[in-house]
Amino acid sequence: MSSGDGAVGGIPGRSPGQSGPYPLHGNASVHGVVQQESADPAADVIGYRGPTACAAAGITYRQLDYWARTGLVEPSVRPAYGSGTQRLYSFRDVVVLKIVKRFLDTGVALQNIRTAVQHLRARGDRDLERMTLMSDGATVYECSSPDEVVDLLQGGQGVFGIAVGVVWRDVEAALSQLHGERVDTGETLIGHNPADELARRRRDRAV
C-alpha cells in the first residue's frame, strides 16, 4: 500500500507493544503539512535565514523557495510576510530539508515525501535521533531499531535508508560553521552550534 493512498488518520503512531517497521500513511495535500507546536519556547529562539538553511541542507535557494510556497517544508520560526521579510528556519526544519533532498535524489515520489515530512514534524527530538526512514520508492517506512531495518530488508521492501540521527549530526556540524540569528533580539550568532542550544534545552527540561 502506498504511503500516498489518502488514508484517513493523519500521522501514525505506535500502539503499546507494537514493534517492527511500519509504512507511513497520510492524507497530505499540497498545504497539508502538519506544523508541530513546540512545547519549549526556547526551541524558537534561534533561526536560520534561507541562504544558511540552503548551505546546511545542500539545496538551492530555488528549491527552498518552492518547497516553502507549496507547503512541503515551511519555516517554522518565521514565514515570509511580503517582500521585505526574511524567512527563518529552525534547526529541525533544516534537518527535514536535508532529508527531503536525499529522498528526491533517490527518486522517492513527492507525495510519499510529504507524508514523511508530516511524520517527522510530529516526532520529538529523541525519536528523530534514533529513527531510520526506509523506502522502496513506493512507500516510506519508519524503523526505530537496527533489527527493524534488517526485517524490512529481508522482506524486500527497503532499498534505501536515511538514518535521521546521522543527518541530524551533519546539520549540526554545518550550522556550527554558519550564522544563526536570535529571534528575540535579531543578534547574529557567528559559528553558533545548535547542539549547545539543544543540550541546554534538555538540561532545562530535566530540572
Side-chain angles (χ1 to χ4, degrees):
M1 183 182 297
S2 168
S3 61
D5 62 357
V8 177
I11 299 168
R14 290 185 191 273
S15 59
Q18 181 181 359
S19 63
Y22 65 92
L24 308 185
H25 302 285
N27 56 349
S29 61
V30 170
H31 295 288
V33 175
V34 175
Q35 296 290 342
Q36 182 190 31
E37 292 295 330
S38 172
D40 182 1
D44 296 331
V45 169
I46 308 300
Y48 303 94
R49 294 193 177 196
T52 299
C54 289
I59 62 175
T60 66
Y61 194 84
R62 178 175 293 183
Q63 287 175 309
L64 183 83
D65 183 61
Y66 179 72
W67 296 349
R69 287 188 290 105
T70 58
L72 178 60
V73 184
E74 298 176 273
S76 61
V77 176
R78 186 173 69 205
Y81 296 110
S83 58
T85 308
Q86 290 280 348
R87 298 187 185 107
L88 282 181
Y89 289 82
S90 70
F91 171 76
R92 282 175 59 110
D93 293 339
V94 182
V95 172
V96 173
L97 287 168
K98 193 173 184 71
I99 290 171
V100 168
K101 171 67 161 53
R102 291 193 176 182
F103 272 135
L104 285 174
D105 286 347
T106 56
V108 175
L110 184 59
Q111 183 64 33
N112 295 338
I113 295 173
R114 289 189 184 280
T115 302
V117 168
Q118 280 188 312
H119 191 69
L120 292 168
R121 288 290 194 195
R123 304 306 290 269
D125 291 350
R126 294 184 186 279
D127 291 332
L128 292 183
E129 288 181 89
R130 62 173 178 260
M131 182 189 301
T132 298
L133 296 176
M134 303 288 293
S135 179
D136 57 5
T139 305
V140 177
Y141 300 84
E142 177 196 334
C143 300
S144 57
S145 73
D147 288 342
E148 291 178 4
V149 174
V150 171
D151 289 345
L152 195 60
L153 291 171
Q154 288 178 339
Q157 295 100 326
V159 296
F160 172 72
I162 297 175
V164 179
V166 173
V167 176
W168 185 285
R169 291 187 291 275
D170 286 348
V171 171
E172 280 183 345
L175 289 176
S176 70
Q177 306 298 316
L178 300 168
H179 294 177
E181 181 177 318
R182 287 189 63 91
V183 178
D184 50 355
T185 65
E187 175 190 0
T188 298
L189 303 175
I190 301 174
H192 170 71
N193 189 341
D196 297 338
E197 179 70 17
L198 293 170
R200 186 194 63 75
R201 287 162 48 194
R202 287 170 181 162
R203 287 195 301 270
D204 291 346
R205 286 198 295 268
V207 172

